[in-house]
Each structure stands twice: as structure tokens, then as C-alpha cells.
Amino acid sequence: MYSYLYSAVIYGVKAEMVKVEVDISRGLPSFNIVGLAGKTVRESAKRVRSAIINSGFEWPVKKITVNLAPGNINKYGSHFDLAIAAVLLECSGQINIKNKKNKFFAGELNLNGNINHVKGLLSMLLAASENNYLQAIIPQANQKEALLVKNLTPFLLKHLRDVNNLEAAEKNNFISDSNQNSTLNYPELSQIRGQKNAKNALITAAAGGHNLLLIGPPGCGKTVLAESIVKLLAPLNKKELLETASIYSINNNLKELNLEKKYRPFIAPHHSITSAALIGGGQIPVPGEISLAHNGVLFLDELPEFKNSVLANLREPLEKKEIKIVRQQGSYYFPANFQFVAAMNPCPCGFAGVKDRECKCSKRDIVRYQQKLSGPLKDRIDLQIEVLPLKKDEILTKNIPEKEVNYLKKIKKARLMQAQRYEKTKIKKNSELMLEDIEKYCQPDRRGKKVLNQAYENLKLSVRGYIRLMRVARTIADLNSNSKITESDLIKAIDFRWYAEKSEMLL
């Protein structure tokens, strides 16, 4: 007797469909799983047997062979349990599953037949949808993933017994989740006191997708400024939401995404993080922090405190927008298209160059501390600004709402100008402009050219410095609704770049 059903296996962040075949024949009673099955999959033999018996079904006392096809892909994970149990019951004539070609199965079984939550199910559901499967038989605990894929009919099961009559199972057996995303709370830029220059830099970074470095003493508000960028960014669109949610589903932390307001992810790892945790890894590689920041923001506070090897690993994803991890069984690609925001002190004690505060660091300590930020990493940061301590009046005086500029409308208008300008190109944001693009899209007016010439002489701009300056100037011009880059746009861009070009710390 032979039968089959379909499941899937995750490879990187995407899933490959797997055909689960079962053959029951005469011979010594045995249960064998073939098809490059990993340890967790082979262990399913014991879980499936106990679950079937404890669910009121009979275990076939015959020779049972399970094949997971295709045989050239490593299979791992306990989510094959439900497919193996269902096809075994169907093959032994105890249940009847109609339209098997249209059904997808995934779920981990307890010994009593209960069906557990499955990690990474969203990637599997998306793969099933792309391969024209119409129904998904999955655990009820995975209802969030089921809600995100609209063209698959979900059958949310609690127990293996429910598979006996799928047509009678509730298709929308969803449990209300009133506490969803209650822990996600990001500050409003308008609530932050003072720091006008830093706020303008954040608005520019959000509008043009620029990487940003905040440099200042402890307690001046660098972290809260960085967190406020989340509400300045455009909400995730449908494609981005599915991409990001798939990564979070694999890491089993989908609850950390705000699926209702569609905020972009904001990832802020501690400076003690390892390279494997940042870029991803493991025997079976899983996404790291930079992939969790995909379509969002990666924030590194106390940047020089990170290990040099960890910071070096940021170069490839910042350039290629993905990370490649090689293992013996193959190469894994993880997406890493994030906006990089970092914060650092000017010296180990944090008070170098700050008025009315004494710096206790030697010049040697300061140089050693500053050199931890490598040149190649600095070259990938468009905006590098100094954040100064607040004055007494700024701390004690509340912000006046009437004086707050409607920066969200300005950012939205600037994004619209970029979309129209780059409609027929692969460019999406000003931060992606290269030298040939700058010559085409970043032409200054007559007065702007004079300012640019002066900036070149005074700042001794390199080609990279010129490119970064013009990227920022283009975004500032868009925020001001200028088709050409004006004198004031360039002066503002130079102000955002002055610290990077002239500070001894960043030379």
C-alpha cells in the first residue's frame, strides 16, 4: 500500500516543498525514514507511533518505509510529524484525505496526539501558496502565520484526531490575541527636547534611507533619538511585511513584530554580541540580528565597544544587502537590507571636547578608542553628526506643538519625489546613488556650484566624500521640494558631513 502528502523544509529563509511518501508492505515490523532525514526527523518515528495509538487509531504492524523527496535536500525539524502520521493513517485505510495534491501539512506531535507550534511556518506557507496549494493543515498555535497568507485556506488543528475529518474541521478557528504587540513602544520625535540639528539629521536619514552615526557624550539622548526613527519610516508594504515576518517566524519571535501598525523592525543588539549571532550561523544556519533588521533599522549603541571582527562582518551586508553563509551541505543566503544607525562617545570617558566637563582620557586612549571605527565602515555612513548636551532651557522648557514642523508630510513628499525620479531605474532611495547617478540627478544651481567648489577646497573631499555629500544634499533638496540642489541645501548637507570630514576623530 502506497500513499503520499506534501510538507516543506526551510533552506535559509525560504522553503522547499517536500513530498512525504509512505509504503506499507509485508515483512518484519519496522519503521524506516529515508531521503536525507536529519536526527529530529528520524526521531519522529517514536512520536508518530505514540501519537497514533493515543489518538484511538491502530498502528500497522508491518514494514513501513517513509521517503522524503527530493532526496538531495537535507530534511530537519519536527514539523514533518503531522504529514507522516496523516499519510500513514491514509495509507493504512483508517482515514480518507481528498484532493491530496492541493493540501499542505506541517505540525509537531506530542505523544498524546496534541499538535504543537511550528517554527518557520510562514516561509512554508508562502512556498505552498507559490506552488498553487489551496489548503494548509497546520497547528492552531500558528494562527498568526495563517492570517498573513490570504490565498491559502487554513485548517487549524489541535489534535491528531481532527485530521480524521478535515471537511468538518473549523477553517477559521482563531483565538483572539488582545495582548498582541503591547510591548512595542517607540518615542515620537516631537517629544524629544532640544537637539534640533540631530532631529533634522534623523528626518534626512529617514527620507533618503541614509546610514547615520550619532557622536556625543553620555546622557545627551543618542539612544532615544535613534529609536524615534521607527515612526519616521514608511510602514512595511505587503511584500516587505511577508519577507520580514518570514524571518521572525524562523526565529520563533513573530510577536516582536507589530503586524497591526506595520512598524519596521528596530534591532539593537548588545555590544557583547558574537559574529555568529549578528550575521547568522549554526550547524543548520538561522538568521542573525542583521537579518532580523531586514527592511528596518539596525542600531549599534556604543559602537567602538563591539569587537572588530563583529564590525568587519557588517561590510558585506551594507554593500550587498544580503549575507552569505557557507556550510558543507551548501550555501545559505540571508537578506540584510537594513538602515544602519550607530551611536558612540567621543572618547572612553565620553567627555572629550565637551564644555564644563573634564576629560580624563589620555590622547593615546582617545586615538585607540577612535580607531576601532574602521575606515571601510565609516565610508558606508552618509550622515555623521555631533550630538551636544542639552542646555538648561532646553531641559526645563517643554516643546511647543505649534512650532513643530509637520515633518511626516515632508518625509512622505520627499519619498514621492524619489519614487517619481527613479521610476525607470533600479534605484529606490537617494542613499543608493552612485557617481554616474549623481551627475544625472544631483545638479546644483549656480549658487550651489559655488558652495560645492568651496566645500571641495576646504574639506579636501575625496570621491567617496563627494558622493556621500551629494546624496545627502539631494535628500535635503527633496525635503524642501527643490528640483535642483540649492545653496541652502548644500550648506545643510555640509553641516551634516562637516564632523565626518574635519574631526580628527574620524580622519
Side-chain angles (χ1 to χ4, degrees):
M1 293 179 287
Y2 166 84
S3 189
Y4 67 91
L5 287 174
Y6 290 97
S7 189
V9 64
I10 295 174
Y11 194 83
V13 293
K14 295 187 177 180
E16 299 284 344
M17 300 308 299
V18 174
K19 188 175 184 180
V20 181
E21 301 176 300
V22 168
D23 178 71
I24 301 177
S25 59
R26 294 179 181 179
L28 291 173
S30 62
F31 190 101
N32 298 307
I33 301 179
V34 297
L36 278 183
K39 183 179 180 181
T40 311
V41 181
R42 295 195 301 271
E43 288 176 348
S44 68
K46 300 184 184 299
R47 292 193 299 270
V48 168
R49 184 179 185 279
S50 296
I52 285 177
I53 294 172
N54 291 325
S55 299
F57 299 105
E58 293 184 5
W59 178 259
V61 187
K62 293 184 179 180
K63 182 181 179 181
I64 302 171
T65 304
V66 179
N67 179 44
L68 304 177
N72 62 334
I73 299 177
N74 286 283
K75 319 299 187 309
Y76 62 92
S78 57
H79 63 277
F80 287 106
D81 291 0
L82 182 59
I84 292 173
V87 70
L88 198 151
L89 292 172
E90 208 259 349
C91 187
S92 60
Q94 299 182 63
I95 64 173
N96 181 30
I97 301 175
K98 299 179 181 178
N99 301 319
K100 293 186 292 185
K101 294 182 179 180
N102 296 327
K103 288 182 170 62
F104 164 81
F105 286 75
E108 178 188 312
L109 292 175
N110 282 344
L111 299 184
N112 63 356
N114 288 334
I115 303 175
N116 292 337
H117 178 271
V118 172
K119 289 201 306 183
L121 184 65
L122 182 56
S123 294
M124 302 181 201
L125 293 175
L126 292 174
S129 175
E130 291 172 1
N131 285 275
N132 300 318
Y133 291 84
L134 303 177
Q135 298 173 334
I137 294 82
I138 57 176
Q140 188 184 53
N142 287 100
Q143 63 176 15
K144 286 185 180 179
E145 288 92 333
L147 283 168
L148 293 173
V149 185
K150 302 299 182 182
N151 52 349
L152 268 179
T153 302
F155 290 83
L156 305 179
L157 307 186
K158 298 179 182 179
H159 198 276
L160 183 59
R161 285 190 298 266
D162 299 335
V163 81
N164 190 26
N165 190 359
L166 290 176
E167 299 301 325
E170 294 185 21
K171 298 180 181 180
N172 297 302
N173 190 20
F174 297 106
I175 302 173
S176 61
D177 188 5
S178 58
N179 295 323
Q180 182 181 356
N181 305 318
S182 59
T183 59
L184 295 175
N185 186 23
Y186 298 108
E188 296 277 357
L189 189 65
S190 59
Q191 295 174 348
I192 301 173
R193 299 189 182 184
Q195 303 297 2
K196 183 178 179 181
N197 191 52
K199 287 180 179 179
N200 288 332
L202 277 167
I203 292 169
T204 305
H210 303 285
N211 297 329
L212 171 65
L213 175 62
L214 303 169
I215 307 157
C220 63
K222 300 187 296 293
T223 302
V224 71
L225 282 165
E227 290 175 348
S228 68
I229 197 173
V230 175
K231 291 188 176 180
L232 302 181
L233 300 172
L236 293 165
N237 60 39
K238 184 178 179 181
K239 181 182 177 182
E240 291 172 336
L241 181 64
L242 289 175
E243 285 178 354
T244 308
S246 296
I247 300 169
Y248 277 72
S249 177
I250 292 169
N251 283 48
N252 201 25
N253 55 359
L254 192 59
K255 62 183 179 181
E256 295 183 12
L257 270 185
N258 193 316
L259 300 177
E260 182 182 354
K261 295 185 177 180
K262 300 178 181 178
Y263 285 146
R264 293 182 179 270
F266 182 86
I267 303 299
H270 191 261
H271 58 74
S272 61
I273 192 171
T274 63
S275 294
L278 183 69
I279 67 173
Q283 185 176 0
I284 300 171
V286 294
E289 295 291 282
I290 60 173
S291 293
L292 291 175
H294 180 60
N295 293 324
V297 177
L298 178 70
F299 175 57
L300 299 187
D301 201 2
E302 305 294 346
L303 188 64
E305 300 296 336
F306 286 79
K307 297 177 182 177
N308 291 334
S309 58
V310 172
L311 295 179
N313 284 321
L314 286 175
R315 298 179 193 176
E316 180 186 349
L318 281 172
E319 189 72 28
K320 298 182 179 179
K321 308 301 182 184
E322 67 176 9
I323 189 73
K324 179 182 178 182
I325 298 176
V326 180
R327 292 292 182 269
Q328 185 177 1
Q329 61 267 33
S331 299
Y332 297 80
Y333 290 88
F334 295 107
N337 186 9
F338 56 85
Q339 187 169 354
F340 181 54
V341 179
M344 62 180 288
N345 296 330
C347 67
C349 79
F351 297 107
V354 180
K355 292 182 179 179
D356 303 325
R357 295 301 296 264
E358 182 182 356
C359 176
K360 300 179 180 180
C361 306
S362 66
K363 289 186 178 180
R364 183 176 180 182
D365 292 336
I366 295 174
V367 170
R368 187 186 298 116
Y369 182 80
Q370 295 163 358
Q371 286 179 344
K372 289 183 179 180
L373 182 59
S374 65
L377 184 59
K378 286 187 296 183
D379 283 341
R380 290 164 172 82
I381 303 176
D382 289 344
L383 293 166
Q384 300 175 22
I385 67 163
E386 188 174 16
V387 183
L388 299 174
L390 294 178
K391 298 178 181 178
K392 181 181 70 173
D393 293 341
E394 292 175 321
I395 296 174
L396 300 179
T397 306
K398 292 183 179 180
N399 293 338
I400 302 174
E402 290 77 10
K403 291 185 178 181
E404 291 292 340
V405 180
N406 195 338
Y407 45 81
L408 291 177
K409 284 186 177 180
K410 290 181 66 176
I411 293 172
K412 188 175 181 180
K413 191 172 182 180
R415 289 198 196 103
L416 182 61
M417 289 182 67
Q418 292 173 67
Q420 294 172 346
R421 185 186 305 123
Y422 309 130
E423 185 178 6
K424 296 181 180 180
T425 69
K426 294 182 179 179
I427 303 169
K428 295 182 179 179
K429 298 175 288 188
N430 289 333
S431 59
E432 299 172 4
L433 293 173
M434 303 306 293
L435 183 59
E436 60 272 16
D437 305 314
I438 286 171
E439 293 172 349
K440 183 177 181 180
Y441 300 112
C442 302
Q443 289 299 319
D445 60 14
R446 183 174 56 83
R447 289 187 176 182
K449 288 179 180 179
K450 290 184 179 179
V451 173
L452 186 59
N453 289 331
Q454 292 174 1
Y456 179 83
E457 294 295 332
N458 294 332
L459 299 178
K460 306 299 181 185
L461 287 174
S462 64
V463 175
R464 286 177 178 172
Y466 168 71
I467 292 173
R468 292 195 298 266
L469 176 65
M470 297 309 292
R471 284 174 178 172
V472 175
R474 179 68 269 174
T475 301
I476 295 172
D478 291 341
L479 286 168
N480 294 328
S481 301
N482 297 328
S483 57
K484 281 194 172 185
I485 298 173
T486 66
E487 178 184 17
S488 60
D489 298 331
L490 267 167
I491 291 173
K492 193 68 178 178
I494 292 167
D495 181 49
F496 288 153
R497 290 294 310 164
W498 181 271
Y499 197 85
E501 301 297 342
K502 294 301 291 182
S503 172
E504 292 182 2
M505 186 184 75
L506 296 176
L507 288 177

